[in-house]
Amino acid sequence: MTQPDNFGFEEEAALLKDSARKFFADNFTTDKLHTMVAADFEPERMSGCHWDAALWQQLVELGWAAVAVPESAGGLGMPLSAVAGLVEEVGRAAFPCPLLATLNAVYVLAAIGADAETALTEIAEGRTASLATINRDGAWDAALTEVVCDAGTLSGTAWFVQDARKVDRLLVAARNGERIALYWVPIDAPGVTVQPDAIVDLTRDQAHIAFDSVAAEPVCADGLPALQQAMPAVWTLLAADITGAAEWQLQTTVDYANARQQFDHSLGFFQAVKHPLVDVMIHIDQSKSLVYNAACAFDFEPDEAARFAHMAKASASDLAAFASGRAVQFHGGIGFTWECFLHLYFKRQTHSQMLWGDGPWHRARMADIVLGKVA
């Protein structure tokens, strides 16, 4: 099967993306973000979970939390290329919310099939969820989970759970005999303890979650094939978030370079400033093309989805570091201050760069696909 023109990004997808950009421009300015998440500048502050639940509820009512849920479960069933456009705008606004975590869970549940219909319906009705599949080493491989299911109860700890303090449900990977099964667990179930992590990103929260004889509802007895099918969507959407945030970093830096005067010229007059900013723009275009190529492959070329998603996340992870470095550098001294909004995006991009694998990790997985695994 070949890819359609324009990566299958149809008029409906463009309308969703434009609506999201207008929504955040009208309702969630960067000034509001800074006031929300950066009010406390003390380095010894406790890990916070700052977000606007009322504004999130407006997104739910607009149907954005259900864009990826299949129509059979009450969702909109939109293609990944359309969902990537929405996530790109979330990244541009750095909006603290459980959308990305919930979408990740949706793609795994959708890969399970009919047994996950009830969980998908809950998400379509407004519930939120996050994946709890990773061990303490951050191996990004659910087969190495530390959680064990014995006699119908879960015990152990899941690490690197995203937006854990914003979600209602967890999709937990647990070893059950020889297999890795998946379980649907309420975040407030007896025996579940959410232990917040201290992370650099102020726009997200992360936690490791301890399970102590937690009664669990199985949704899939053999979860690894479903996770393998869904992970290209997870990597692609995080790469889309990075490209959206990088576009904010570039536009903000260009605006500053045009406004700041030095030697009777704007900073942007000088080649030492303008050329690296063009390099950022080129890297953004490269990553964005790879994101939509990967999304289109997930929709139309599933055999190529993993390879293209590794390419997209590898490029986006590099972009996260490059765009952040240029943005801070070209703001000069003010770029290092707490009052300058740049640090919010620098920290979000640093978190995104490493989450679900950095550039070298994805290139190594891509080499495994192209060349075969090295013994």
Side-chain angles (χ1 to χ4, degrees):
M1 183 180 293
T2 58
Q3 294 193 5
D5 292 341
N6 199 26
F7 302 120
F9 194 79
E10 304 288 351
E11 182 179 352
E12 191 176 27
L15 181 62
L16 174 64
K17 190 174 190 299
D18 291 343
S19 299
R21 181 178 294 196
K22 185 175 188 308
F23 178 87
F24 291 123
D26 293 343
N27 296 284
F28 196 74
T29 63
T30 310
D31 182 62
K32 183 175 180 179
L33 170 66
H34 196 270
T35 301
M36 175 187 296
V37 304
D40 185 358
F41 54 83
E42 294 294 338
E44 296 83 9
R45 66 187 177 280
M46 298 296 290
S47 172
C49 176
H50 308 290
W51 66 307
D52 189 337
L55 196 57
W56 164 252
Q57 191 55 40
Q58 291 185 42
L59 267 67
V60 173
E61 292 169 0
L62 288 168
W64 294 354
V67 289
V69 177
E71 290 180 292
S72 60
L76 301 178
M78 298 185 76
L80 184 59
S81 58
V83 180
L86 172 62
V87 172
E88 206 181 323
E89 295 308 318
V90 173
R92 188 192 308 278
F95 181 56
C97 71
L99 179 65
L100 194 53
T102 301
L103 289 170
N104 292 343
V106 164
Y107 283 104
V108 178
L109 291 168
I112 292 171
D115 290 343
E117 191 87 357
T118 301
L120 286 167
T121 302
E122 288 187 27
I123 292 175
E125 292 172 347
R127 298 284 188 184
T128 52
S130 187
L131 297 179
T133 61
I134 306 304
N135 67 7
R136 73 182 64 214
D137 296 327
W140 313 122
D141 185 353
L144 302 176
T145 178
E146 297 176 10
V147 183
V148 175
C149 182
D150 184 27
T153 62
L154 301 180
S155 298
T157 304
W159 300 77
F160 304 98
V161 179
Q162 302 301 301
D163 292 308
R165 285 179 281 177
K166 303 185 186 81
V167 300
D168 306 307
R169 298 284 188 270
L170 297 169
L171 185 57
V172 184
R175 181 166 295 281
N176 189 341
E178 296 297 317
R179 291 183 172 180
I180 302 298
L182 296 174
Y183 298 85
W184 191 237
V185 182
I187 194 77
D188 56 354
V192 174
T193 303
V194 178
Q195 298 171 316
D197 296 333
I199 61 173
V200 67
D201 186 0
L202 299 175
T203 65
R204 296 186 177 105
D205 74 276
Q206 177 183 288
H208 55 285
I209 298 183
F211 301 91
D212 184 8
S213 300
V214 177
E217 178 184 348
V219 291
C220 183
D222 186 8
L224 289 183
L227 284 162
Q228 186 176 12
Q229 181 179 332
M231 289 312 294
V234 173
W235 300 324
T236 301
L237 290 181
L238 184 55
D241 187 291
I242 291 173
T243 59
E247 285 190 319
W248 182 94
Q249 291 173 312
L250 176 61
Q251 187 60 58
T252 300
T253 306
V254 168
D255 291 345
Y256 181 77
N258 285 331
R260 175 69 187 275
Q261 294 289 313
Q262 194 72 35
F263 307 116
D264 296 328
H265 294 285
S266 67
L267 285 181
F269 170 81
F270 301 101
Q271 290 185 342
V273 173
K274 71 171 72 173
H275 288 184
L277 291 176
V278 171
D279 289 340
V280 174
M281 183 191 72
I282 292 171
H283 202 150
I284 289 173
D285 284 350
Q286 177 191 64
S287 296
K288 182 178 289 195
S289 296
L290 290 171
V291 163
Y292 285 98
N293 178 57
C296 188
F298 187 85
D299 294 329
F300 295 97
E301 291 182 302
D303 291 343
E304 296 283 8
R307 182 163 69 98
F308 290 157
H310 284 308
M311 292 169 65
K313 181 58 169 63
S315 175
S317 288
D318 293 349
L319 169 64
F322 183 62
S324 297
R326 297 291 82 76
V328 170
Q329 186 176 11
F330 291 138
H331 274 75
I334 195 174
F336 290 84
T337 65
W338 189 265
E339 291 74 16
C340 181
F341 300 156
L342 281 180
H343 72 96
L344 300 176
Y345 283 80
F346 188 103
K347 293 166 182 172
R348 183 182 178 93
Q349 294 283 59
T350 300
H351 186 84
S352 297
Q353 179 189 357
M354 300 299 176
L355 183 63
W356 299 117
D358 61 2
W361 188 88
H362 280 280
R363 290 189 184 90
R365 302 292 84 71
M366 188 166 57
D368 289 343
I369 294 173
V370 176
L371 304 174
K373 286 194 175 183
V374 177

